[in-house]
Amino acid sequence: MTVVQAAPSSGGLKREMGLMSAINVIISVMIGSGIFVSPTAALKYSGSVGFCLVVWAVCGIISLLGALCFAELGTVVPRSGAEYAYLIEAFKKTNKFWGPLPSFICAWVYVVVLRPAEIAVIILTFAEYSILPFSNILGLKSLPEEDLHNLIKLIALLGLGVITYINLSSVKLYVTINNIFGFCKVFACLIVIFGGIYQLAIGNTENLSRGFAGTNFSPGHIALAFYNGLWAYDGWSSVTTITEEIKRPEVNIPRSIIIAVPIITGLYVFMNMAYMTVLSPEEMIQSEAVGLDFGDRVLGSFSFLIPLGVALSTFGCALSIQFGVTRLCYVASQEGQMLEPLSYIHVRRATPTPAVAMQGILAFAFILVGNIEELIELASFLIWFFYGSAFIALLTLRKTQPDTPRPYKVPLFVPIFALGVSIFLSIVPIIAEPSPKYFFAVAFILSGVAVYTPFVYYKIRPKWINKLTYLIQVLFEAVPTAEKFE
């Protein structure tokens, strides 16, 4: 059985995304359900409304600095895959065994567990909030809890099918839909902000007038406040995951980051201020869904706009996360660290259809399993570990490739500072909440080493791989690209 060879037109992914699309990718991934549902941990640990707002603003600045490091890396390593691509470029040639291992572990965590599990949780949140505006009309509140749970799961599976279809179909379709959802979720944020402005105009300033009263100066609590704030900003690296599809990436990646991250910082700070106009700190901390409580008090008959905003935000977030992780699959497969067919693209649509389908299947499995929040906690603390590895890669590339053109270059103190933050965020959860789950995270990494050693390092290839490759090519009309990276 022979494997189909690359078609003449299969030159790889196409650059179809301009500056506005790149901005919307960042907005889509960074703004999920968190800012509407549970922006309370930073307030809980900071102890005061004033210091809480400072934490949100500073977290935005820190996120911007980290993102600018990735902007430089994106100009030095013009490949999709973000952290993965930077690790493979910086360390691949240092040692035959150990050099490629960090990049493989990065791909192993992101592709196999973290991203598909995130998509599953986010799309379940989408399903839950998409039915809230209609719960009274359809009598859903009277349903038994098990039936309601099954309905939410069914809607989640349908939502997953839609986002997978979009990402299978074409990049242009993804860009169009993502731009629409990006606009809608920003509009939803602005509804909250203008609701807060109205409350301030009529004199609801009691909660905000507390200022810094009650600030908790304990170093541990301050650390946890920043830790939780920075998690809410996660996603700032998303545009570098799709570098190969950005037009003029050396220009548009830095610009998109410089525009998008400050916009989101402003939205987050002012949304928290809006919440504080009608909810006391105690009410915010105890609330299960801050945005819904705010909507009930401020928007009246238009309170349905908040769950609608959450549904739009989560759908767009899941769509963009799946889009990005499939590009990581694509690059890792080109490097021989994933199954080869994951680097194949559709002969007409120029989308990595096998990679998209695999991510859809993994997320489908996580939705069926359910109760995977602890699984995300197990792996999510590793995100800043990989960010830190990327900052080390930046410093390494400055030393090993000093003459490589850098259209954008951050001052040296920025990656050093960002590396310190990443170390801090990797250690804080272990110190703050010692738990056996972190040993399971280590065990999962070791399982990656067990896969890496025979199949990547020694290149053991089971006999059935050729048959699987042929089946994937026929099923998805996918062919190898003309681009290969050694």
Side-chain angles (χ1 to χ4, degrees):
M1 184 173 295
T2 58
V3 175
V4 179
Q5 296 303 309
S9 61
S10 60
L13 303 174
K14 310 299 181 185
R15 297 193 184 276
E16 300 186 64
M17 305 177 69
L19 176 60
M20 186 57 64
S21 298
I23 291 171
N24 268 316
V25 168
I26 300 173
I27 289 174
S28 290
V29 177
M30 289 185 73
I31 302 179
S33 63
I35 193 62
F36 294 99
V37 178
S38 56
T40 57
L43 175 60
K44 174 183 175 181
Y45 290 112
S46 61
S48 68
V49 295
F51 189 55
C52 176
L53 295 176
V54 170
V55 167
W56 280 102
V58 173
C59 286
I61 295 170
I62 292 173
S63 299
L64 178 61
L65 295 177
L68 291 177
C69 293
F70 273 64
E72 176 181 331
L73 284 164
T75 65
V76 178
V77 187
R79 297 182 67 185
S80 297
E83 303 97 290
Y84 175 86
Y86 310 143
L87 290 172
I88 199 74
E89 179 68 21
F91 305 119
K92 181 180 179 180
K93 297 179 180 179
T94 57
N95 180 277
K96 190 176 180 181
F97 180 86
W98 297 105
L101 183 58
S103 58
F104 176 81
I105 295 299
C106 177
W108 177 251
V109 171
Y110 280 163
V111 171
V112 177
V113 171
L114 185 55
R115 295 312 186 199
E118 279 184 342
I119 292 167
V121 169
I122 292 168
I123 209 70
L124 283 167
T125 305
F126 156 77
E128 181 179 353
Y129 281 86
S130 64
I131 63 174
L132 274 182
F134 313 103
S135 57
N136 289 327
I137 298 173
L138 300 176
L140 297 178
K141 290 185 177 180
S142 61
L143 283 177
E145 185 175 345
E146 184 178 349
D147 291 345
L148 183 60
H149 179 73
N150 290 334
L151 175 62
I152 289 172
K153 187 171 287 190
L154 176 60
I155 295 172
L157 292 173
L158 292 173
L160 175 64
V162 171
I163 69 170
T164 304
Y165 172 79
I166 292 168
N167 285 328
L168 283 170
S169 297
S170 75
V171 174
K172 287 184 178 179
L173 178 62
Y174 161 78
V175 168
T176 301
I177 293 175
N178 192 53
N179 287 348
I180 293 171
F181 275 83
F183 172 80
C184 289
K185 67 171 60 181
V186 170
F187 182 71
C189 294
L190 292 175
I191 289 175
V192 173
I193 291 171
F194 283 112
I197 291 173
Y198 173 76
Q199 292 299 311
L200 289 174
I202 63 175
N204 282 345
T205 59
E206 180 182 350
N207 294 326
L208 288 172
S209 65
R210 296 187 186 187
F212 290 86
T215 297
N216 194 328
F217 293 102
S218 164
H221 281 79
I222 292 174
L224 287 170
F226 278 99
Y227 172 75
N228 286 280
L230 284 166
W231 277 121
Y233 281 94
D234 187 48
W236 42 259
S237 67
S238 52
V239 71
T240 57
T241 309
I242 56 171
T243 299
E244 293 176 53
E245 289 161 284
I246 302 291
K247 298 175 182 176
R248 299 177 64 207
E250 71 282 357
V251 173
N252 285 329
I253 287 179
R255 284 182 180 174
S256 65
I257 288 169
I258 291 170
I259 294 171
V261 177
I263 287 175
I264 293 168
T265 302
L267 291 174
Y268 280 8
V269 171
F270 287 112
M271 286 180 75
N272 274 277
M273 288 182 65
Y275 293 145
M276 292 170 183
T277 60
V278 294
L279 297 170
S280 68
E282 295 76 19
E283 289 174 322
M284 282 186 66
I285 291 171
Q286 294 172 7
S287 174
E288 293 183 1
V290 174
L292 296 186
D293 291 343
F294 174 87
D296 289 340
R297 296 194 187 185
V298 175
L299 301 179
S301 59
F302 291 96
S303 61
F304 71 90
L305 291 173
I306 299 300
L308 180 61
V310 175
L312 293 172
S313 294
T314 48
F315 184 89
C317 184
L319 176 67
S320 290
I321 289 176
Q322 188 190 73
F323 185 88
V325 72
T326 57
R327 275 52 185 177
L328 194 159
C329 293
Y330 172 83
V331 175
S333 179
Q334 286 182 323
E335 290 289 344
Q337 294 193 350
M338 291 279 169
L339 290 173
E340 184 181 330
L342 296 179
S343 68
Y344 294 179
I345 65 170
H346 194 278
V347 290
R348 295 182 302 277
R349 299 170 185 167
T351 58
T353 47
V356 175
M358 185 195 75
Q359 284 299 307
I361 292 169
L362 288 174
F364 177 87
F366 282 122
I367 290 174
L368 291 182
V369 170
N371 298 321
I372 56 177
E373 284 79 2
E374 287 190 9
L375 180 63
I376 288 185
E377 291 178 8
L378 175 72
S380 61
F381 88 100
L382 292 172
I383 289 178
W384 273 91
F385 172 81
F386 291 123
Y387 285 163
S389 300
F391 301 141
I392 293 174
L394 185 152
L395 297 171
T396 301
L397 288 170
R398 283 205 180 175
K399 184 176 180 180
T400 59
Q401 300 183 19
D403 299 325
T404 299
R406 288 171 169 78
Y408 179 83
K409 187 175 181 179
V410 294
L412 183 61
F413 80 88
V414 174
I416 294 174
F417 172 76
L419 177 59
V421 171
S422 65
I423 294 171
F424 163 76
L425 289 175
S426 298
I427 295 175
V428 162
I430 300 174
I431 296 175
E433 187 186 354
S435 170
K437 66 185 177 183
Y438 298 115
F439 292 103
F440 288 110
V442 173
F444 183 72
I445 289 175
L446 293 177
S447 71
V449 177
V451 172
Y452 169 83
T453 303
F455 299 113
V456 178
Y457 182 69
Y458 288 110
K459 303 185 187 303
I460 294 175
R461 183 183 175 92
K463 293 181 179 179
W464 50 265
I465 286 292
N466 281 340
K467 292 182 180 180
L468 177 64
T469 300
Y470 181 80
L471 177 63
I472 290 173
Q473 288 188 272
V474 173
L475 189 61
F476 295 103
E477 298 183 80
V479 295
T481 66
E483 302 169 352
K484 291 293 179 183
F485 294 86
E486 301 297 337

